[in-house]
Amino acid sequence: MNRLEVDFLGVRFPNPVVTASGTFNFGREYAHLYPLRRLGAVTTKGVSPRPIAGAPTPRITETPMGMLNAIGLENKGVDAYVADELPWLKAQGARVIVNVFGDEAADFAHVARKVGPYADLIEVNLSCPNVHGGRLPFAHDPAAAAEVVRRVKGATDRPVLAKLSPNGPILPVAEALEAAGVDGFSLINTLLGMRMDLERKRPVLGNRQGGLSGPAVKPVAVRLVYELYRHTDRPILGMGGIASAEDALEFALAGARLVAVGTATFGDPYAPVKVIEGLERELEARGGRWVDWVGAAHTPD
Amino acid sequence: MNRLEVDFLGVRFPNPVVTASGTFNFGREYAHLYPLRRLGAVTTKGVSPRPIAGAPTPRITETPMGMLNAIGLENKGVDAYVADELPWLKAQGARVIVNVFGDEAADFAHVARKVGPYADLIEVNLSCPNVHGGRLPFAHDPAAAAEVVRRVKGATDRPVLAKLSPNGPILPVAEALEAAGVDGFSLINTLLGMRMDLERKRPVLGNRQGGLSGPAVKPVAVRLVYELYRHTDRPILGMGGIASAEDALEFALAGARLVAVGTATFGDPYAPVKVIEGLERELEARGGRWVDWVGAAHTPD
Amino acid sequence: MPASPELAPPRPRWDDHAATIVASEPLGPHQRLVLAMPTLEARFGPGQFLNLSVPGHVLRRPLAPSRHEGTEVELIVTPFGPGTRDLVRLPVGTRLQALAPLGNSFPISSGDAALVGAGAGAAPLAWLAERLLRAGRTVHVFHGAPSAEDRTLVQTLYERLGLEVRYFSEDGSLGRRGYPTEGLAELLAGGAVATVYSVGPFALMRAAAQLAIAHGRPGYVSLDVHMACGVGACLSCAVQTAAGQKHACVDGPVFEVQEVVW
Amino acid sequence: MPASPELAPPRPRWDDHAATIVASEPLGPHQRLVLAMPTLEARFGPGQFLNLSVPGHVLRRPLAPSRHEGTEVELIVTPFGPGTRDLVRLPVGTRLQALAPLGNSFPISSGDAALVGAGAGAAPLAWLAERLLRAGRTVHVFHGAPSAEDRTLVQTLYERLGLEVRYFSEDGSLGRRGYPTEGLAELLAGGAVATVYSVGPFALMRAAAQLAIAHGRPGYVSLDVHMACGVGACLSCAVQTAAGQKHACVDGPVFEVQEVVW
Ligand SMILES: Cc1cc2nc3c(=O)[nH]c(=O)nc-3n(C[C@H](O)[C@H](O)[C@H](O)COP(=O)(O)OP(=O)(O)OC[C@H]3O[C@@H](n4cnc5c(N)ncnc54)[C@H](O)[C@@H]3O)c2cc1C
Ligand SMILES: Cc1cc2nc3c(=O)[nH]c(=O)nc-3n(C[C@H](O)[C@H](O)[C@H](O)COP(=O)(O)OP(=O)(O)OC[C@H]3O[C@@H](n4cnc5c(N)ncnc54)[C@H](O)[C@@H]3O)c2cc1C
Ligand SMILES: Cc1cc2nc3c(=O)[nH]c(=O)nc-3n(C[C@H](O)[C@H](O)[C@H](O)COP(=O)(O)O)c2cc1C
Ligand SMILES: Cc1cc2nc3c(=O)[nH]c(=O)nc-3n(C[C@H](O)[C@H](O)[C@H](O)COP(=O)(O)O)c2cc1C
Ligand code: FES
Ligand code: FES
């Protein structure tokens, strides 16, 4: 009995544990440690239409049980990844979730169209700034976010997940995205945060502020997954601080059908595999299959 | 030279370190460890017009470098505190910040009027639910929050701080409060979060969700203080995860003129005093007075 | 209604004391820790607790000693969540901090005593047993566990007192199959005039309390409520009592069974 | 433009290796740590680094060994922020994990070598000096510090090689008052045909690099960029080079001075 198997929007995953976008690049760096097909899926670093150089350094800094990053969306642009990385990644037998973003809705669609052939799912990163919307992230502008999803849906036949930001109310955005035909949700992206350098009397990060991730944000993430699950019937990919099988089960109880491991991979490159192995043991001991745990903490009000 | 002395809205504080509301009760529990007048001030547990029994247990649970609480605003009501606790606290020579809240604007004003004689500052807790505003917290309803501040300002001659919530955008609320005559701000209150109990397959807390505090939230708090400081000329009482003098200096750089120690007191009841002593040492070593550090990380864009 | 006077003796003020781990040994699934607390002049009573730091954790952990001899405080810790799991792994020599002494303690019965415990609940109970024996009382001990796993715990805590323990296991692998309250029920049904003391899971304490009440016997339980400060400042440890809401860390953790709203 | 071949030898693949602290001693403000890494078959080269776990921290810490003999890896750690502060306090016997070997290493010069370092930058430089000496090169060492504080560090790392170090202190309390680049400037001005190697604060490495460039000498620096993954996956360690943006953890940390956009 494979207790971990899960269907998500018609795609069969041998287990629910995927990597989080931006923490695993396109998988090549870790492929000599374990076969990438052992993972539920690899979620790639965010891909935009054209190359982006990213933010000034320092781009990362540690905080209590968390980290801040301001990578600034560095990537080589969709054409480079379609040429070099995505075919290689598919050839590993990995399931692939491609994270896409852009300056405007058409950019997202452009990238989604190009990566579609290599993607099992498309994840739309709505936390990036809406260049034509006063640089407010799409995630905080329901209409702009809906337009992105509509365009992406039109550009690909792959199921589309919208990745939500915890830095504003999520329900109004989620509602607008459902109306736009989104297939599922992923959350949380990072929480905005800052750390000060006492020597330089300046923010540590080159970009001043960055995104907080890691165990510190787990309670915030679990709560948002729980809240979203109550309001949607579309499946949820949950993440934010997952570092163990127990963490993953917390997200399942809250309503996550897939879970992503991000920051934990920096502390231990085997973390995604250890979460999978831990889930096998935990479910053996506690009983039930993964899918039985999904949403199980929801009781009538 | 007293490097720590600071004037805040006309009140002279020997040092900038105060206790955070709800983590120090009315000070009696800790008064045998150190004289309460050694602190910048004691901020009291939130006071409402009538007694409140609070939330079902468990009311607290730990998370990575943080904790969740859902005390449910338990308190004995303003009359009990005016009779028993506030006179005692003033008699200790402590400066006192009284944290007030209620179901509607008039409640806040009622409490502020009664506690005014014992308060050096009034802190208005806007994170409590607005009973007549669909239970949305006042903090997320600029108009309702402004009405609270207007009423409280009318009821007391003490300077009034509005305590902001990190669970929604703060700038629109801050602007409305400035128009309503608020004297200063305090932030952050707790971030909404949740932890799951894998045995019971339920949220750990009796109230299901609670408020996240402690070092885990520090980056979020520093960033919000920084953001608010750029938009206001009113002084800021900063808090969220402060456990050391270095943490306090991070908040100063971001723009906090006073700082509060909350959750850290549970881990070490001497924490507020250790932060004061640490600041004396740090400023001796690094140079400057506390007030020189306030806002020093702000440079032109 | 104030607590009965025997529950509220004038208490020494707590402080934050250094506590060095001087011994740590597994007792089945539990761990016996001995802390050296040389600055703690006050003496714990059975049922009182300390609030112990665990490196890497924001909150302390409330634990009720099973003995306090000279400067040494003995604890039984059951690894439960992240904090206690880390605590039982700390090497001898680790220096911690403990708020102590906290809370109230069990009163010594005027007649026989019946102790109903499970797991680490045996820690304060065994120590109470020691005090009861010293006071010349007859002590009946009923201990429950899912299986034979608590055998070493029971041997370590009770047999050093020369006390015989009636062991109940859910799977029948040691002692009688069933729950320790069955032993208490038989004892009381047999007409024993015993004061009941219980520390364990809520359901166990409630069952023991109901038996005590049904037989008109005094009874005491130690309520296990999630705590943050341990000293009355955070209001996290609310307990519903006949006299209104109380707080386990300062008004308890020991409560008279009649007082608790079960 | 690919890095010059001497900077990019075929590299053994990194893995996550157990690393037990077998020695830990202060050297003034620094700490000398020796890790036993029995499963690490690959050999570090000077300039390469490992990414070391620190209990209670989410990220690992990149550190460049000062020696690798048998299964033992020697590190010099300067307590800086919370992670390195915790690291230097860990007792002997603590078991950590290290990603290793990571990054590229310094090439061995064909002629004389001039080493310009400060603080823990002496770690990879001293090891490089060992390799240079073994290759028969003449090695000049210039070390800078705010005060006399690095005396023991320099003694430990360089004097065991029989190397004389020219010490520069900002306050003049040991060696010459001033910066170690002054020594380098004199050496090069005197016509020495030396390859320049520098590890230390950015300003120091830049000054050393500018001297090398001005004198038409080859030069190498090890860039200290904040790292998360250490293996090329997070893109946090961006470095601007003449050949576009590179990443210090995989394309460096050692860069040719001409290649870096200073
Ligand atoms: C007065 C008293 C005496 C106790 N004596 C013992 C003892 O001698 N041996 C023993 O093994 N256990 C004892 N407990 C229970 C012990 O405190 C908890 O098992 C422990 O705090 C759980 O921490 P954790 O990190 O394992 O779990 P977590 O769930 O991660 O704990 C998180 C937080 O919740 C609180 N918490 C969680 N569970 C409990 C609980 N059951 N009771 C109180 N607080 C809790 C803790 O304060 C901790 O800060 C006692 C509890 C109380 C109230
Ligand atoms: C290739 C390389 C080799 C190094 N070798 C040594 C050495 O041999 N001895 C030594 O003492 N130091 C060395 N450093 C610097 C050392 O890594 C940092 O001092 C250390 O990471 C700071 O961690 P912290 O916890 O003290 O500070 P924090 O600021 O709390 O660190 C937080 C995070 O930021 C990153 N970070 C912070 N400062 C630096 C920095 N200066 N360089 C890289 N990452 C940083 C760390 O990865 C860490 O995860 C080296 C750095 C690099 C890149
Ligand atoms: C270094 C880094 C880079 C990231 N890059 C992206 C990205 O390109 N696109 C995206 O949608 N999320 C990105 N994220 C967010 C993560 O995918 C994830 O949502 C977040 O880190 C929370 O999960 P965690 O706590 O497990 O890391 C990045 C996170 C980190 C730490
Ligand atoms: C147990 C507990 C109770 C609290 N009660 C109140 C309260 O009554 N009123 C209020 O404004 N804030 C309350 N807070 C929030 C704190 O005052 C503070 O804003 C928050 O905890 C962040 O600071 P910290 O990380 O230092 O604890 C409470 C926090 C905790 C942990
Ligand atoms: S634990 Fe804080 S009041 Fe009881
Ligand atoms: S540290 Fe992650 S790419 Fe270099």
Side-chain angles (χ1 to χ4, degrees), chain D residues 15 22 55 57 61 68 83 97 109 115 125-126 132 153 155 169 171-172 185-186 192 211 213 247 251-252:
Chain D
D15 205 337
V22 293
H57 291 266
R61 296 299 186 274
H68 185 184
Q97 290 288 130
S109 60
L115 277 49
L125 287 179
L132 288 164
L153 176 73
Q155 283 171 347
S169 53
D171 66 0
E186 289 163 20
L211 284 168
I213 293 168
H247 295 94
D251 303 318

PDB file of all heavy atoms in Angstrom, chain D residues 15 22 55 57 61 68 83 97 109 115 125-126 132 153 155 169 171-172 185-186 192 211 213 247 251-252:
ATOM      1  N   ASP D  15      29.007  16.229  -1.025  1.00  0.00           N
ATOM      2  CA  ASP D  15      27.926  15.531  -0.337  1.00  0.00           C
ATOM      3  C   ASP D  15      27.833  16.101   1.074  1.00  0.00           C
ATOM      4  O   ASP D  15      28.624  16.978   1.438  1.00  0.00           O
ATOM      5  CB  ASP D  15      28.175  14.013  -0.323  1.00  0.00           C
ATOM      6  CG  ASP D  15      26.861  13.222  -0.185  1.00  0.00           C
ATOM      7  OD1 ASP D  15      25.867  13.785   0.328  1.00  0.00           O
ATOM      8  OD2 ASP D  15      26.842  12.053  -0.599  1.00  0.00           O
ATOM      9  N   VAL D  22      36.607  17.795  17.134  1.00  0.00           N
ATOM     10  CA  VAL D  22      37.557  17.033  17.954  1.00  0.00           C
ATOM     11  C   VAL D  22      38.522  17.954  18.695  1.00  0.00           C
ATOM     12  O   VAL D  22      39.238  17.505  19.596  1.00  0.00           O
ATOM     13  CB  VAL D  22      38.337  15.987  17.125  1.00  0.00           C
ATOM     14  CG1 VAL D  22      37.381  14.888  16.643  1.00  0.00           C
ATOM     15  CG2 VAL D  22      39.050  16.624  15.940  1.00  0.00           C
ATOM     16  N   PRO D  55      23.770  23.998  15.245  1.00  0.00           N
ATOM     17  CA  PRO D  55      22.487  23.644  15.863  1.00  0.00           C
ATOM     18  C   PRO D  55      21.668  24.889  16.209  1.00  0.00           C
ATOM     19  O   PRO D  55      22.205  25.883  16.694  1.00  0.00           O
ATOM     20  CB  PRO D  55      22.907  22.901  17.140  1.00  0.00           C
ATOM     21  CG  PRO D  55      24.270  22.362  16.838  1.00  0.00           C
ATOM     22  CD  PRO D  55      24.914  23.371  15.923  1.00  0.00           C
ATOM     23  N   HIS D  57      20.217  26.786  14.043  1.00  0.00           N
ATOM     24  CA  HIS D  57      20.220  27.750  12.936  1.00  0.00           C
ATOM     25  C   HIS D  57      19.704  27.107  11.662  1.00  0.00           C
ATOM     26  O   HIS D  57      19.993  25.954  11.373  1.00  0.00           O
ATOM     27  CB  HIS D  57      21.624  28.314  12.728  1.00  0.00           C
ATOM     28  CG  HIS D  57      22.040  29.205  13.857  1.00  0.00           C
ATOM     29  ND1 HIS D  57      21.879  30.562  13.829  1.00  0.00           N
ATOM     30  CD2 HIS D  57      22.537  28.911  15.082  1.00  0.00           C
ATOM     31  CE1 HIS D  57      22.294  31.080  14.987  1.00  0.00           C
ATOM     32  NE2 HIS D  57      22.695  30.106  15.756  1.00  0.00           N
ATOM     33  N   ARG D  61      26.875  27.619   7.639  1.00  0.00           N
ATOM     34  CA  ARG D  61      27.858  28.696   7.567  1.00  0.00           C
ATOM     35  C   ARG D  61      29.032  28.279   6.691  1.00  0.00           C
ATOM     36  O   ARG D  61      29.655  27.239   6.933  1.00  0.00           O
ATOM     37  CB  ARG D  61      28.373  29.047   8.976  1.00  0.00           C
ATOM     38  CG  ARG D  61      27.302  29.597   9.922  1.00  0.00           C
ATOM     39  CD  ARG D  61      26.689  30.884   9.388  1.00  0.00           C
ATOM     40  NE  ARG D  61      25.769  31.538  10.306  1.00  0.00           N
ATOM     41  CZ  ARG D  61      24.472  31.261  10.426  1.00  0.00           C
ATOM     42  NH1 ARG D  61      23.922  30.293   9.719  1.00  0.00           N
ATOM     43  NH2 ARG D  61      23.724  31.963  11.267  1.00  0.00           N
ATOM     44  N   HIS D  68      43.783  20.334   5.831  1.00  0.00           N
ATOM     45  CA  HIS D  68      43.040  19.088   5.712  1.00  0.00           C
ATOM     46  C   HIS D  68      44.079  17.980   5.726  1.00  0.00           C
ATOM     47  O   HIS D  68      44.780  17.774   4.749  1.00  0.00           O
ATOM     48  CB  HIS D  68      42.241  19.086   4.392  1.00  0.00           C
ATOM     49  CG  HIS D  68      41.347  17.901   4.221  1.00  0.00           C
ATOM     50  ND1 HIS D  68      40.605  17.673   3.082  1.00  0.00           N
ATOM     51  CD2 HIS D  68      41.043  16.873   5.056  1.00  0.00           C
ATOM     52  CE1 HIS D  68      39.903  16.557   3.217  1.00  0.00           C
ATOM     53  NE2 HIS D  68      40.157  16.056   4.393  1.00  0.00           N
ATOM     54  N   GLY D  83      25.326  32.937  14.467  1.00  0.00           N
ATOM     55  CA  GLY D  83      25.698  31.574  14.092  1.00  0.00           C
ATOM     56  C   GLY D  83      27.130  31.249  14.458  1.00  0.00           C
ATOM     57  O   GLY D  83      27.419  30.213  15.080  1.00  0.00           O
ATOM     58  N   GLN D  97      27.118  18.630  10.601  1.00  0.00           N
ATOM     59  CA  GLN D  97      27.098  18.141   9.223  1.00  0.00           C
ATOM     60  C   GLN D  97      27.714  19.215   8.334  1.00  0.00           C
ATOM     61  O   GLN D  97      27.505  20.410   8.576  1.00  0.00           O
ATOM     62  CB  GLN D  97      25.652  17.899   8.768  1.00  0.00           C
ATOM     63  CG  GLN D  97      24.962  16.717   9.425  1.00  0.00           C
ATOM     64  CD  GLN D  97      25.486  15.376   8.958  1.00  0.00           C
ATOM     65  OE1 GLN D  97      25.816  14.510   9.763  1.00  0.00           O
ATOM     66  NE2 GLN D  97      25.586  15.210   7.634  1.00  0.00           N
ATOM     67  N   SER D 109      51.053  29.598  -7.859  1.00  0.00           N
ATOM     68  CA  SER D 109      51.754  30.527  -8.754  1.00  0.00           C
ATOM     69  C   SER D 109      52.977  29.853  -9.360  1.00  0.00           C
ATOM     70  O   SER D 109      53.534  28.905  -8.798  1.00  0.00           O
ATOM     71  CB  SER D 109      52.189  31.759  -7.967  1.00  0.00           C
ATOM     72  OG  SER D 109      53.063  31.362  -6.926  1.00  0.00           O
ATOM     73  N   LEU D 115      51.079  37.135  -0.030  1.00  0.00           N
ATOM     74  CA  LEU D 115      49.791  36.861   0.594  1.00  0.00           C
ATOM     75  C   LEU D 115      49.398  38.051   1.462  1.00  0.00           C
ATOM     76  O   LEU D 115      50.169  38.454   2.335  1.00  0.00           O
ATOM     77  CB  LEU D 115      49.883  35.603   1.472  1.00  0.00           C
ATOM     78  CG  LEU D 115      49.741  34.242   0.776  1.00  0.00           C
ATOM     79  CD1 LEU D 115      50.621  34.127  -0.447  1.00  0.00           C
ATOM     80  CD2 LEU D 115      49.991  33.119   1.766  1.00  0.00           C
ATOM     81  N   LEU D 125      44.720  31.340   3.423  1.00  0.00           N
ATOM     82  CA  LEU D 125      46.024  31.823   2.962  1.00  0.00           C
ATOM     83  C   LEU D 125      47.165  31.002   3.550  1.00  0.00           C
ATOM     84  O   LEU D 125      48.141  30.676   2.855  1.00  0.00           O
ATOM     85  CB  LEU D 125      46.199  33.305   3.318  1.00  0.00           C
ATOM     86  CG  LEU D 125      45.374  34.297   2.479  1.00  0.00           C
ATOM     87  CD1 LEU D 125      45.627  35.722   2.952  1.00  0.00           C
ATOM     88  CD2 LEU D 125      45.688  34.157   0.980  1.00  0.00           C
ATOM     89  N   ALA D 126      47.068  30.663   4.830  1.00  0.00           N
ATOM     90  CA  ALA D 126      48.151  29.901   5.446  1.00  0.00           C
ATOM     91  C   ALA D 126      48.252  28.532   4.797  1.00  0.00           C
ATOM     92  O   ALA D 126      49.346  27.992   4.597  1.00  0.00           O
ATOM     93  CB  ALA D 126      47.912  29.766   6.952  1.00  0.00           C
ATOM     94  N   LEU D 132      52.302  26.368  -1.411  1.00  0.00           N
ATOM     95  CA  LEU D 132      53.286  27.128  -2.205  1.00  0.00           C
ATOM     96  C   LEU D 132      54.702  26.751  -1.790  1.00  0.00           C
ATOM     97  O   LEU D 132      55.589  26.535  -2.633  1.00  0.00           O
ATOM     98  CB  LEU D 132      53.057  28.632  -2.016  1.00  0.00           C
ATOM     99  CG  LEU D 132      51.802  29.225  -2.682  1.00  0.00           C
ATOM    100  CD1 LEU D 132      51.480  30.606  -2.106  1.00  0.00           C
ATOM    101  CD2 LEU D 132      51.978  29.308  -4.205  1.00  0.00           C
ATOM    102  N   LEU D 153      46.941  33.930  16.362  1.00  0.00           N
ATOM    103  CA  LEU D 153      46.445  33.365  15.109  1.00  0.00           C
ATOM    104  C   LEU D 153      47.592  33.224  14.112  1.00  0.00           C
ATOM    105  O   LEU D 153      47.808  32.160  13.518  1.00  0.00           O
ATOM    106  CB  LEU D 153      45.360  34.293  14.532  1.00  0.00           C
ATOM    107  CG  LEU D 153      44.800  33.904  13.167  1.00  0.00           C
ATOM    108  CD1 LEU D 153      43.895  32.691  13.298  1.00  0.00           C
ATOM    109  CD2 LEU D 153      44.041  35.066  12.528  1.00  0.00           C
ATOM    110  N   GLN D 155      50.800  33.286  14.715  1.00  0.00           N
ATOM    111  CA  GLN D 155      51.797  32.323  15.196  1.00  0.00           C
ATOM    112  C   GLN D 155      51.364  30.901  14.874  1.00  0.00           C
ATOM    113  O   GLN D 155      52.125  30.094  14.355  1.00  0.00           O
ATOM    114  CB  GLN D 155      51.998  32.472  16.709  1.00  0.00           C
ATOM    115  CG  GLN D 155      52.870  33.684  17.041  1.00  0.00           C
ATOM    116  CD  GLN D 155      52.897  33.984  18.522  1.00  0.00           C
ATOM    117  OE1 GLN D 155      52.090  33.463  19.293  1.00  0.00           O
ATOM    118  NE2 GLN D 155      53.826  34.843  18.932  1.00  0.00           N
ATOM    119  N   SER D 169      49.389  46.662  12.218  1.00  0.00           N
ATOM    120  CA  SER D 169      48.239  46.917  13.087  1.00  0.00           C
ATOM    121  C   SER D 169      47.801  48.364  12.949  1.00  0.00           C
ATOM    122  O   SER D 169      48.623  49.269  12.795  1.00  0.00           O
ATOM    123  CB  SER D 169      48.566  46.577  14.539  1.00  0.00           C
ATOM    124  OG  SER D 169      49.736  47.240  14.937  1.00  0.00           O
ATOM    125  N   ASP D 171      46.558  50.231  15.186  1.00  0.00           N
ATOM    126  CA  ASP D 171      46.937  51.068  16.323  1.00  0.00           C
ATOM    127  C   ASP D 171      48.442  50.983  16.616  1.00  0.00           C
ATOM    128  O   ASP D 171      48.914  51.539  17.600  1.00  0.00           O
ATOM    129  CB  ASP D 171      46.123  50.703  17.564  1.00  0.00           C
ATOM    130  CG  ASP D 171      46.444  49.297  18.065  1.00  0.00           C
ATOM    131  OD1 ASP D 171      47.288  48.601  17.448  1.00  0.00           O
ATOM    132  OD2 ASP D 171      45.844  48.890  19.072  1.00  0.00           O
ATOM    133  N   GLY D 172      49.178  50.261  15.799  1.00  0.00           N
ATOM    134  CA  GLY D 172      50.615  50.179  15.985  1.00  0.00           C
ATOM    135  C   GLY D 172      51.064  49.312  17.156  1.00  0.00           C
ATOM    136  O   GLY D 172      52.237  49.281  17.500  1.00  0.00           O
ATOM    137  N   ALA D 185      52.540  46.912  -1.419  1.00  0.00           N
ATOM    138  CA  ALA D 185      52.919  48.010  -2.318  1.00  0.00           C
ATOM    139  C   ALA D 185      54.438  48.136  -2.386  1.00  0.00           C
ATOM    140  O   ALA D 185      55.023  48.272  -3.466  1.00  0.00           O
ATOM    141  CB  ALA D 185      52.279  49.318  -1.841  1.00  0.00           C
ATOM    142  N   GLU D 186      55.097  48.066  -1.224  1.00  0.00           N
ATOM    143  CA  GLU D 186      56.566  48.174  -1.213  1.00  0.00           C
ATOM    144  C   GLU D 186      57.217  47.016  -1.946  1.00  0.00           C
ATOM    145  O   GLU D 186      58.162  47.204  -2.722  1.00  0.00           O
ATOM    146  CB  GLU D 186      57.061  48.245   0.231  1.00  0.00           C
ATOM    147  CG  GLU D 186      56.707  49.585   0.878  1.00  0.00           C
ATOM    148  CD  GLU D 186      56.805  49.537   2.387  1.00  0.00           C
ATOM    149  OE1 GLU D 186      57.491  48.628   2.928  1.00  0.00           O
ATOM    150  OE2 GLU D 186      56.177  50.401   3.031  1.00  0.00           O
ATOM    151  N   ALA D 192      59.440  43.136  -7.215  1.00  0.00           N
ATOM    152  CA  ALA D 192      59.211  41.694  -7.012  1.00  0.00           C
ATOM    153  C   ALA D 192      58.212  41.171  -8.037  1.00  0.00           C
ATOM    154  O   ALA D 192      57.225  41.829  -8.343  1.00  0.00           O
ATOM    155  CB  ALA D 192      58.685  41.443  -5.593  1.00  0.00           C
ATOM    156  N   LEU D 211      46.601  46.924  -6.619  1.00  0.00           N
ATOM    157  CA  LEU D 211      48.064  46.915  -6.678  1.00  0.00           C
ATOM    158  C   LEU D 211      48.562  45.876  -7.678  1.00  0.00           C
ATOM    159  O   LEU D 211      49.468  46.138  -8.482  1.00  0.00           O
ATOM    160  CB  LEU D 211      48.648  46.643  -5.294  1.00  0.00           C
ATOM    161  CG  LEU D 211      48.613  47.836  -4.323  1.00  0.00           C
ATOM    162  CD1 LEU D 211      48.936  47.382  -2.908  1.00  0.00           C
ATOM    163  CD2 LEU D 211      49.608  48.912  -4.779  1.00  0.00           C
ATOM    164  N   ILE D 213      46.974  44.638 -10.235  1.00  0.00           N
ATOM    165  CA  ILE D 213      46.648  45.088 -11.589  1.00  0.00           C
ATOM    166  C   ILE D 213      47.620  46.190 -12.027  1.00  0.00           C
ATOM    167  O   ILE D 213      48.179  46.152 -13.132  1.00  0.00           O
ATOM    168  CB  ILE D 213      45.182  45.568 -11.659  1.00  0.00           C
ATOM    169  CG1 ILE D 213      44.236  44.374 -11.441  1.00  0.00           C
ATOM    170  CG2 ILE D 213      44.885  46.249 -13.000  1.00  0.00           C
ATOM    171  CD1 ILE D 213      42.782  44.736 -11.191  1.00  0.00           C
ATOM    172  N   HIS D 247      28.333  33.245  -9.632  1.00  0.00           N
ATOM    173  CA  HIS D 247      27.893  32.910  -8.275  1.00  0.00           C
ATOM    174  C   HIS D 247      29.064  32.356  -7.490  1.00  0.00           C
ATOM    175  O   HIS D 247      29.675  31.357  -7.890  1.00  0.00           O
ATOM    176  CB  HIS D 247      26.710  31.949  -8.339  1.00  0.00           C
ATOM    177  CG  HIS D 247      25.521  32.616  -8.970  1.00  0.00           C
ATOM    178  ND1 HIS D 247      25.242  32.524 -10.313  1.00  0.00           N
ATOM    179  CD2 HIS D 247      24.594  33.471  -8.450  1.00  0.00           C
ATOM    180  CE1 HIS D 247      24.179  33.274 -10.602  1.00  0.00           C
ATOM    181  NE2 HIS D 247      23.764  33.854  -9.491  1.00  0.00           N
ATOM    182  N   ASP D 251      31.151  29.322  -8.934  1.00  0.00           N
ATOM    183  CA  ASP D 251      32.131  29.901  -9.864  1.00  0.00           C
ATOM    184  C   ASP D 251      33.346  30.411  -9.096  1.00  0.00           C
ATOM    185  O   ASP D 251      34.370  30.747  -9.682  1.00  0.00           O
ATOM    186  CB  ASP D 251      31.503  31.058 -10.648  1.00  0.00           C
ATOM    187  CG  ASP D 251      30.261  30.624 -11.398  1.00  0.00           C
ATOM    188  OD1 ASP D 251      30.274  29.530 -11.990  1.00  0.00           O
ATOM    189  OD2 ASP D 251      29.257  31.363 -11.357  1.00  0.00           O
ATOM    190  N   GLY D 252      33.231  30.534  -7.789  1.00  0.00           N
ATOM    191  CA  GLY D 252      34.286  30.999  -6.903  1.00  0.00           C
ATOM    192  C   GLY D 252      34.401  30.014  -5.774  1.00  0.00           C
ATOM    193  O   GLY D 252      34.114  28.852  -5.982  1.00  0.00           O
TER     194      GLY D 252
END
